[in-house]
Amino acid sequence: IVYDENVPFYLRELIKLTEEQINRAREMDDLPPYERATHGKEAWNEWVQKYRDRWLDRRESSDCVRMALRPDGERCTIWFCDGLAGKCDEYELIYGNYEGYWFPCEVDFSRAIFKTAVNFSYAKFLGRGWFQGSQFEQKARFNETHFGMGALFCNAAFKENTSFRKAQFMGDGSFQNTVFGWGVDFIEVQFHEDAGFSTAVFVDGTYFKDAKFYKTCSYENAVFFRLVYW
């Protein structure tokens, strides 16, 4: 088996699951995404590994099997509203610890209301992360989170302290019309594609020290009520 370079380690067969882990992953597969996530990082990541063929494109030839990421238009999406609400409705999430989770495709948290503190630190989004219109009612952490195809936080509301320290946005990072109700930390963040903060509102201190913007960054009509630290 030959893997394309952009296939992450956790989708390669170098990691072998035990029979117990495989059985647990099968049970997890019957659950809606949010309920599956509440079983914790290890169980979620085992499920991702067990069903790696869902996230990869398999092509066989006479001399090898080549595994690559599915092309645009063929990638699936994990909708966290499934089992909770319609795709255009708001819905509440109580569980908030997604630290170190592997998200192997597009993942949609749009319009989610996170009722407790949220931690996505060290999570790896292979596809785009969708958080449009989401509400974070307590602290939110995205420290060293890897967004493989970027993330959209347009029209989101962060009501407590928020941190994206050392996060990596490999695609666009969109924060248009987003409200940061308390301080926000973008220290050492990296935007490899366009970053957008147009019409965003920053109520408290904003920290961009050592942040890197490799392409354009827009702040048109953004409002800063306190100091911005570069």
Side-chain angles (χ1 to χ4, degrees), residues 93-205:
L93 300 181
I94 305 300
Y95 183 79
N97 186 12
Y98 303 92
E99 181 177 357
Y101 277 50
W102 299 332
F103 297 106
C105 58
E106 304 274 304
V107 180
D108 198 308
F109 286 94
S110 296
R111 291 169 293 280
I113 302 173
F114 294 93
K115 303 296 290 184
T116 58
V118 173
N119 187 4
F120 282 92
S121 297
Y122 311 106
K124 298 184 185 301
F125 290 76
L126 190 57
R128 188 174 288 104
W130 298 81
F131 292 87
Q132 295 184 105
S134 295
Q135 299 178 44
F136 298 83
E137 298 198 344
Q138 298 191 34
K139 292 180 180 180
R141 294 288 177 267
F142 292 85
N143 297 328
E144 298 191 45
T145 305
H146 186 273
F147 296 101
M149 295 185 67
L152 287 82
F153 288 88
C154 308
N155 300 302
F158 294 89
K159 299 182 181 180
E160 294 285 347
N161 289 328
T162 304
S163 179
F164 285 88
R165 182 174 293 207
K166 294 185 178 181
Q168 295 265 353
F169 291 81
M170 308 309 293
D172 292 350
S174 299
F175 293 86
Q176 286 88 346
N177 206 38
T178 298
V179 177
F180 297 96
W182 286 70
V184 56
D185 179 349
F186 285 103
I187 294 173
E188 294 187 61
V189 69
Q190 294 191 28
F191 291 98
H192 291 262
E193 297 292 336
D194 296 338
F197 294 91
S198 299
T199 66
V201 177
F202 298 83
V203 175
D204 209 335

Side-chain angles (χ1 to χ4, degrees), residues 80-95:
F80 265 73
C81 64
D82 281 355
L84 299 173
K87 289 183 172 61
C88 295
D89 299 327
E90 293 184 345
Y91 56 100
E92 294 184 355
L93 300 181
I94 305 300
Y95 183 79

Side-chain angles (χ1 to χ4, degrees), residues 32-126:
Y34 174 66
E35 186 176 350
R36 186 184 304 131
T38 63
H39 286 257
K41 179 182 73 174
E42 289 186 5
W44 175 278
N45 290 350
E46 288 167 2
W47 170 76
V48 169
Q49 292 171 313
K50 169 67 175 71
Y51 295 99
R52 60 170 62 87
D53 287 346
R54 290 182 185 172
W55 333 119
L56 298 176
D57 185 30
R58 180 186 182 97
R59 299 179 183 177
E60 298 186 17
S61 63
S62 58
D63 58 346
C64 73
V65 175
R66 179 171 293 278
M67 304 294 283
L69 298 182
R70 290 189 181 275
D72 288 341
E74 295 184 18
R75 295 190 180 100
C76 62
T77 300
I78 297 174
W79 300 85
F80 265 73
C81 64
D82 281 355
L84 299 173
K87 289 183 172 61
C88 295
D89 299 327
E90 293 184 345
Y91 56 100
E92 294 184 355
L93 300 181
I94 305 300
Y95 183 79
N97 186 12
Y98 303 92
E99 181 177 357
Y101 277 50
W102 299 332
F103 297 106
C105 58
E106 304 274 304
V107 180
D108 198 308
F109 286 94
S110 296
R111 291 169 293 280
I113 302 173
F114 294 93
K115 303 296 290 184
T116 58
V118 173
N119 187 4
F120 282 92
S121 297
Y122 311 106
K124 298 184 185 301
F125 290 76
L126 190 57

